[in-house]
């Protein structure tokens, strides 16, 4: 599969969708370390891609490269038909269309929950304060935190803070959301409340690229599993296909380890 385009889901193709995100022959290095190796991938509109693989396989780097948080050495990445700019205002504008939810919540500690969600629409979208506040309150209700709008982030649990981070990303009305191991910093009892919000977003048609170790979420919410190892995409399949009949020996070995521990 190296160097070949991985098609978007059958459903997305059936609906005649032009892929929203296209990576073509992408290579990324850290110094001399080749982290992403000839990655080609198409992601359809409304498609949920879950990227899995062992630590160090390039999953997070792939996710972060999609909106140029990580620069690439060669290849191209396009969002809705527009190539990612190297830097400057054009890159900032394109990033506004692709929300990012990180492992750490990155909330402004000195701003209320509502103000955290309002910040980017005010600064980047130039939305008026009443409209930004109304949007923030609607999104906080959507992630189950309406009653916490006036609290400060340190008054919330980790799971609640991550849900605020999701609401903040949604406030920009993005075309797609990227999730880089969004539950890995959470206590186990807080994981499901975040996954439930993500499952709801998936059901509502949000285009999502999710790097996660949560196999239950992958089975339930993914349209497609992308399995990576050593900087390459080794498999791309539906959850039923991948979990029941992985095509590669490496995929079978990975599943044997994670599903028995």
């Amino acid at each position: 599969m190296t160097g070949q385009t991985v098609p978007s889901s059958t459903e997305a193709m059936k609906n005649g969708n032009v892929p929203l995100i296209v990576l073509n022959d992408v290579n990324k290095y850290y110094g001399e370390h080749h982290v992403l190796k000839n990655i080609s991938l198409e992601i359809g509109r409304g498609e949920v891609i879950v990227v899995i693989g062992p630590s160090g396989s390039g999953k997070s780097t792939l996710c972060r490269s999609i909106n140029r948080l990580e620069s690439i050495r060669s290849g191209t990445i396009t969002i809705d038909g527009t190539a990612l700019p190297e830097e400057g205002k054009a890159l900032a504008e394109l990033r506004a269309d692709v929300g990012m939810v990180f492992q750490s919540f990155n909330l402004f500690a000195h701003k209320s929950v509502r103000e955290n969600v309002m910040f980017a629409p005010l600064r980047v979208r130039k939305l008026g304060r009443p409209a930004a506040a109304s949007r923030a309150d609607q999104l906080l209700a959507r992630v189950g935190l309406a009653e916490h709008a006036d609290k400060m982030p340190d008054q919330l649990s980790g799971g609640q803070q991550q849900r605020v981070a999701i609401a903040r990303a949604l406030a920009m009305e993005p075309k797609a959301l990227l999730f880089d191991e969004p539950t890995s910093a959470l206590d186990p009892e807080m994981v499901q409340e975040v996954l439930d919000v993500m499952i709801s977003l998936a059901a509502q048609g949000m285009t999502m690229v999710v790097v996660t170790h949560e196999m239950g979420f992958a089975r339930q919410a993914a349209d497609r599993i992308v399995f990576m190892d050593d900087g390459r995409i080794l498999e791309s399949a539906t959850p039923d296909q991948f979990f029941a009949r992985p095509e590669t020996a490496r995929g079978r070995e990975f599943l044997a380890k994670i599903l028995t521990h």
Side-chain angles (χ1 to χ4, degrees):
M1 199 169 290
T2 301
Q4 297 180 347
T5 299
V6 179
S8 54
S9 70
T10 302
E11 183 177 355
M13 298 296 283
K14 182 175 64 178
N15 292 338
N17 284 345
V18 175
L20 179 63
I21 301 170
V22 179
L23 294 85
N24 184 38
D25 206 19
V26 169
N27 287 275
K28 162 73 179 177
Y29 288 78
Y30 291 125
E32 295 303 311
H33 182 40
H34 199 173
V35 186
L36 297 179
K37 303 174 181 178
N38 305 105
I39 296 290
S40 292
L41 179 67
E42 292 185 355
I43 301 168
R45 298 168 193 274
E47 191 175 15
V48 178
I49 300 291
V50 174
V51 185
I52 65 175
S55 297
S57 59
K59 307 183 301 295
S60 290
T61 303
L62 171 65
C63 186
R64 293 168 64 87
S65 295
I66 290 175
N67 66 350
R68 198 73 84 175
L69 286 175
E70 296 282 358
S71 60
I72 60 174
R73 181 174 296 187
S74 63
T76 59
I77 301 173
T78 60
I79 309 292
D80 205 7
T82 301
L84 276 180
E86 291 291 338
E87 56 186 16
K89 183 178 179 182
L91 177 57
E93 289 174 350
L94 200 67
R95 276 184 180 157
D97 288 334
V98 184
M100 186 91 189
V101 179
F102 301 91
Q103 178 178 343
S104 54
F105 322 123
N106 295 338
L107 300 178
F108 294 113
H110 63 288
K111 294 181 179 293
S112 72
V113 166
R114 180 185 291 108
E115 290 168 336
N116 265 277
V117 180
M118 291 171 59
F119 183 80
L122 288 171
R123 289 291 186 92
V124 180
R125 299 292 195 204
K126 306 302 182 185
L127 209 61
R129 285 196 68 85
S134 176
R135 181 182 296 179
D137 286 344
Q138 290 172 7
L139 290 170
L140 289 170
R142 186 173 174 183
V143 299
L145 294 172
E147 69 275 19
H148 298 290
D150 294 315
K151 292 183 179 178
M152 305 302 285
D154 65 1
Q155 294 178 281
L156 304 182
S157 69
Q160 289 170 330
Q161 289 186 61
Q162 191 62 294
R163 284 187 279 155
V164 174
I166 294 172
R168 179 182 58 185
L170 289 170
M172 294 293 285
E173 298 185 330
K175 296 175 181 177
L177 282 179
L178 310 176
F179 294 84
D180 186 8
E181 301 195 6
T183 60
S184 61
L186 299 177
D187 291 335
E189 66 268 22
M190 298 176 185
V191 168
Q192 194 58 48
E193 65 190 61
V194 174
L195 294 180
D196 285 345
V197 171
M198 295 169 62
I199 290 166
S200 175
L201 291 174
Q204 292 164 20
M206 173 60 71
T207 305
M208 296 163 59
V209 179
V210 184
V211 175
T212 185
H213 295 288
E214 298 292 339
M215 295 300 111
F217 171 83
R219 287 178 183 272
Q220 182 175 356
D223 294 306
R224 189 155 44 115
I225 302 291
V226 168
F227 173 64
M228 293 186 67
D229 188 37
D230 192 32
R232 293 184 172 90
I233 294 176
L234 298 188
E235 300 198 36
S236 175
T238 67
D240 287 347
Q241 290 169 335
F242 179 74
F243 284 107
R245 299 177 303 278
E247 293 181 353
T248 63
R250 188 67 184 95
R252 292 190 290 273
E253 179 187 3
F254 176 77
L255 285 181
K257 288 181 177 179
I258 64 168
L259 297 180
T260 56
H261 291 85

